[in-house]
Amino acid sequence: MGKIISIANQKGGVGKTTTTVNLAASLAVLEKKVLIVDADPQANASSGLGIDVRHLKNTIYECLVGSIDPHVAICDTDLENLKIIPSHVNLVGAEVEMVQLENREMFMKNVLEQIRDEFDYIFIDCSPSLGLITLNALTATDSTIIPVQCEYYALEGIAQLLSTIKLVKSKLNPTLEIEGFLLTMYDSRTRLNNQVVEDVRANFRDMVFDTIIQRNIKLSEAPSFQLPVVMYDAESKGALCYMQLAKEFLDKNELENK
């Protein structure tokens, strides 16, 4: 049975989509079968992997609201082992359409249960909010990765996210765990970045990934070429960071499964 992991933080610009795409791609390079579910109406994960969402008939929106078979929404990428269920701007309206329905928090779970056995890992790229779609993602997942930007307001809002995770765990998904906190956009030259690393490690200890994602121009450029960084420039610092994260992620999960 595949493991489902959400990438969540209601704070924008912390590296959720970058992490989703590049961790998933790195695992695909390591010969794992991986699916990305783009649950953000901005559809950046989809466009960053070369999917033209303007002409798609089937996206995660249709899976959630139209109850279509998720298999017909799965798209190929340039990596053989990496697939994606793309998003669409229509997803903005999904929360309004779902809010009056029974078991509205379970829709994503019901969709992914149909396909989870076909993948080793499924990653859900969440939107920068704690709305109904993100609640669906947390209800559907086995664990969540929380990207934390190495900036002044890094810990702002994390308490609210942790409170939401605790609520979901108690009411909707008792097996939900935190996979780990991931430090992103790190620049070793700045005192502030180093202070943030110390603060996050002091607060969350062994829940923080050892791997730190460093600032890297290739990482920023790759989406404009509609490629994960491992395909855009495999020798770049960004690609090496995410490959290291993928190996750490696998080591942890394979150890847990023994």
Side-chain angles (χ1 to χ4, degrees), residues 2 13 16-17 36 56 62 64 71 90 94 108 125 128 132 137 143 167 175 177 186 215 226 229-230 232 235 246 258:
K16 285 188 297 295
T17 300
I36 291 173
L56 290 176
E62 282 76 21
L64 292 172
H71 290 93
N90 288 348
M108 182 81 74
D125 184 27
L132 185 54
S143 64
L167 185 66
T175 60
E177 300 292 342
Y186 174 68
R215 283 192 180 276
Q226 301 182 334
V229 71
V230 72
Y232 176 60
E235 299 302 316
K258 283 185 178 179

Side-chain angles (χ1 to χ4, degrees), residues 30-80:
L30 294 171
E31 301 186 337
K32 299 298 180 182
K33 290 185 177 180
V34 188
L35 174 71
I36 291 173
V37 178
D38 191 349
D40 185 346
Q42 295 177 78
N44 289 334
S46 304
S47 60
L49 287 171
I51 308 296
D52 187 351
V53 299
R54 295 171 298 175
H55 305 298
L56 290 176
K57 291 182 180 178
N58 299 309
T59 68
I60 191 61
Y61 170 79
E62 282 76 21
C63 294
L64 292 172
V65 176
S67 300
I68 68 162
D69 184 335
H71 290 93
V72 303
I74 296 173
C75 297
D76 293 332
T77 73
D78 288 337
L79 274 169
E80 183 182 355

Side-chain angles (χ1 to χ4, degrees), residues 2 19 84 99 108 110 119 125 129 131 165 170 211 225 247 256:
T19 294
I84 183 168
V99 75
M108 182 81 74
N110 294 336
F119 298 93
D125 184 27
S129 75
I165 289 171
S170 66
T211 304
F225 290 88
K247 290 173 181 175
E256 286 175 354

